[in-house]
Amino acid sequence: MAILKAVRGTRDLLPPETALWNHVEATARAVFARYGFGEIRTPIFEDTSLFARGVGEETDIVSKEMYTWEDRARADSDSAQSLTLRPENTAGVVRAYIEHKLADTGMLQKLFYIGPQFRRERPQRGRYRQFWQIGAEVLGPAWSGSDSPLRDAEVLEMLATFLNELGIKNWRLELNSVGSSTDRPRYLIALREALAPVKHLMCADNQRRAETNPLRVLDSKDPQDQEIINKLPRIADFLDDASKGHFAQVLTALDACNVPYSVNPRLVRGLDYYTRTTFEFTIPDGSGLGTQNALLGGGRYDGLSEMLGGPKAPGIGFAIGEDRLILTLQAQAEAEAKESGASVSACGTWVQKLDAFIAPMGIAQNAAALLLAKELRAAGLAIEVGDGSFRLKKSFEAADKLARRMVILGEDEIASGILTVKDFSAGEQTKVARAGLVDFLRG
Ligand code: HAM
């Protein structure tokens, strides 16, 4: 029979790699808590129209990449609801904000999430069909300060702190302002006018974008089209005074907090809801992700809540590609190990060895071994227990892989209450009284 495998673009995450995932998520939780964020968990599937309206019909995500199905109450029923696996989570968070009337609290909402998203993209390194995002949204009525440039700078400073605490090196922050909902139409007219005489010279994708979503032409990486793109009008020249002032305040606050950045006038991002500040963090080298793959991206939005039938609620948010963050950490650890000549596996750094492996010398000692393990675990130690039918050599090999020490439990040890403890790194064997074992293993 054919062996079933995980579906293309999806993958299993196994120990010890999951230790690194947990470390990344625990760091995110700890950092975000310091900035006053609370966790939100929204469903993994939603009504399809949420994404059509929230993310935008013309975006690549909605037009090409969603996992959508007709969900019938019964097989023979005519009425069906169109449902979609979430391709991103900003729309879901804003839906929840509206549904639970969070605006009525009058408070700024600072919400973070960690979870899988789904897009039917062509799988490659760092690009999957089920991938994980660690994201956050800051939103609320305008009087709660949700459209303040201070929020943009705070979010960016938090991301810089998070990446630094994780030990991510060489990250780059690029940002831009894509203008308000009144700046944008003026810019789009100019962009369409500039594209009209040259678009037939561009690649098929850009010809289509020039019609449906001209902003996306700007972030095209097609090498042949770069000369044309470089000559297109820049959004910075179409910002009104309020948008210019907003962006300038973001940059001033970033300077004050010593967050390095570069302004990239072509950074527009692929989702329709952005207004004013947009940003991406990238790793220029070392992770093997390629330059097209941002580590994380986000921006400000105004009008998204209204588009979904809610009250005005400007906001700003981001989503980190957790898979890419992990790949980057692994690539960095491997590079460092190579440099220092050590042979540590990339995950080795994040995996804690168990405190001890208990090896019963025969089946008769199995129950006593399990009881000893129970007592040591109750004292907070991490313990594995072997089986008395193993040969000592096998137990020894297993113990060396898993734990820092091995506790040998034979008939004599049980009778005398004096145990033999082997320390793997020191290569020493010590006799320890059972009453002192917890303290000895903690040391
Ligand atoms: P996005 O740029 O579509 O934005 O995705 C954010 C990040 O998710 C990307 O920078 C990338 O690291 C990761 N990512 C996207 N697609 C994949 C994939 N197929 N495989 C692996 N990683 C991927 C958003 O999703 C917005 N909701 C961000 C946001 C929040 N904007 C405002 N608030």
Side-chain angles (χ1 to χ4, degrees):
M1 220 196 302
I3 296 171
L4 287 173
K5 292 193 170 162
V7 173
R8 189 169 132 82
T10 72
R11 62 212 178 109
D12 302 307
L13 303 172
L14 307 172
E17 202 186 343
T18 36
L20 176 53
W21 285 73
N22 285 326
H23 167 68
V24 164
E25 290 169 15
T27 307
R29 288 173 191 282
V31 172
F32 297 174
R34 300 206 302 262
Y35 290 75
F37 282 79
E39 183 175 3
I40 181 168
R41 300 190 190 198
T42 61
I44 275 171
F45 57 87
E46 299 263 6
D47 196 294
T48 304
S49 59
L50 173 68
F51 304 113
R53 279 156 65 187
V55 179
E57 303 258 23
E58 295 302 338
T59 60
D60 283 353
I61 296 176
V62 174
S63 64
K64 300 197 272 198
E65 296 170 357
M66 294 205 306
Y67 287 96
T68 297
W69 71 99
E70 296 296 311
D71 198 61
R72 288 173 204 285
R74 292 196 320 269
D76 60 351
S77 146
D78 280 342
S79 67
Q81 186 182 10
S82 179
L83 300 179
T84 293
L85 289 180
R86 62 183 187 194
E88 62 97 60
N89 210 23
T90 306
V93 170
V94 176
R95 179 205 44 72
Y97 172 89
I98 300 166
E99 187 168 334
H100 301 287
K101 301 194 170 48
L102 298 184
D104 293 356
T105 64
M107 301 280 288
L108 189 67
Q109 301 296 313
K110 292 175 122 178
L111 304 165
F112 81 89
Y113 55 84
I114 300 177
Q117 317 291 334
F118 305 85
R119 296 183 194 175
R120 193 184 282 103
E121 297 201 77
R122 204 162 54 80
Q124 51 180 276
R125 184 176 165 83
R127 191 176 292 276
Y128 308 101
R129 292 180 167 179
Q130 173 172 340
F131 59 98
W132 269 258
Q133 283 186 339
I134 300 176
E137 309 296 339
V138 180
L139 75 167
W143 66 82
S144 68
S146 56
D147 57 6
S148 162
L150 176 109
R151 294 295 155 211
D152 308 35
E154 184 187 36
V155 159
L156 291 166
E157 186 271 309
M158 177 173 86
L159 284 166
T161 296
F162 170 64
L163 295 179
N164 290 342
E165 269 184 35
L166 271 183
I168 296 273
K169 300 203 184 78
N170 303 328
W171 53 260
R172 273 174 59 92
L173 162 61
E174 291 183 28
L175 74 167
N176 189 24
S177 174
V178 294
S180 67
S181 52
T182 50
D183 303 328
R184 196 89 69 79
R186 287 188 287 115
Y187 176 61
L188 284 177
I189 292 170
L191 193 57
R192 280 185 201 278
E193 267 171 20
L195 280 167
V198 291
K199 65 183 176 207
H200 66 280
L201 303 170
M202 304 183 99
C203 71
D205 267 351
N206 278 337
Q207 290 194 24
R208 184 177 47 79
R209 289 184 190 131
E211 296 294 331
T212 58
N213 197 352
L215 269 186
R216 293 305 312 280
V217 174
L218 296 178
D219 68 359
S220 156
K221 305 281 191 303
D222 188 295
Q224 256 94 58
D225 291 352
Q226 297 306 310
E227 214 174 303
I228 299 177
I229 295 172
N230 285 334
K231 291 193 190 120
L232 292 172
R234 291 184 164 202
I235 188 130
D237 299 323
F238 292 79
L239 301 186
D240 65 14
D241 287 346
S243 291
K244 268 189 211 152
H246 193 279
F247 195 47
Q249 285 190 58
V250 176
L251 302 187
T252 305
L254 288 177
D255 289 337
C257 296
N258 294 318
V259 176
Y261 60 85
S262 58
V263 175
N264 173 359
R266 279 174 49 176
L267 185 79
V268 290
R269 308 215 359 97
L271 298 92
D272 274 2
Y273 46 64
Y274 291 115
T275 54
R276 293 190 165 162
T277 314
T278 54
F279 57 86
E280 279 181 2
F281 282 72
T282 53
I283 303 288
D285 48 43
S287 60
L289 289 174
T291 47
Q292 299 209 21
N293 288 332
L295 198 57
L296 71 95
R300 174 162 278 293
Y301 42 87
D302 191 2
L304 179 52
S305 173
E306 293 98 306
M307 230 150 24
L308 300 176
K312 186 172 169 62
I316 178 157
F318 64 83
I320 302 165
E322 192 178 355
D323 307 73
R324 294 182 188 178
L325 197 59
I326 302 277
L327 285 171
T328 305
L329 283 171
Q330 289 172 332
Q332 281 186 3
E334 258 158 41
E336 275 162 27
K338 215 180 252 172
E339 233 166 67
S340 66
S343 63
V344 257
S345 80
C347 284
T349 330
W350 293 279
V351 178
Q352 294 281 317
K353 276 205 163 181
L354 302 173
D355 294 305
F357 183 99
I358 299 172
M361 290 296 90
I363 293 169
Q365 284 85 44
N366 271 357
L370 202 63
L371 173 63
L372 179 61
K374 177 185 161 178
E375 287 170 10
L376 297 177
R377 286 164 176 159
L381 293 163
I383 303 293
E384 182 56 289
V385 57
D387 179 281
S389 62
F390 282 6
R391 275 168 296 132
L392 186 60
K393 190 164 171 287
K394 268 242 173 97
S395 295
F396 194 88
E397 282 165 7
D400 194 12
K401 277 191 199 132
L402 293 173
R404 294 191 291 133
R405 296 189 175 104
M406 178 159 85
V407 179
I408 297 166
L409 198 66
E411 231 174 276
D412 290 352
E413 279 82 2
I414 291 175
S416 65
I418 306 288
L419 306 171
T420 306
V421 181
K422 164 113 191 157
D423 187 307
F424 291 114
S425 58
E428 283 169 3
Q429 210 151 288
T430 318
K431 299 274 182 205
V432 182
R434 183 163 173 163
L437 189 59
V438 168
D439 284 342
F440 183 84
L441 292 178
R442 277 200 188 123

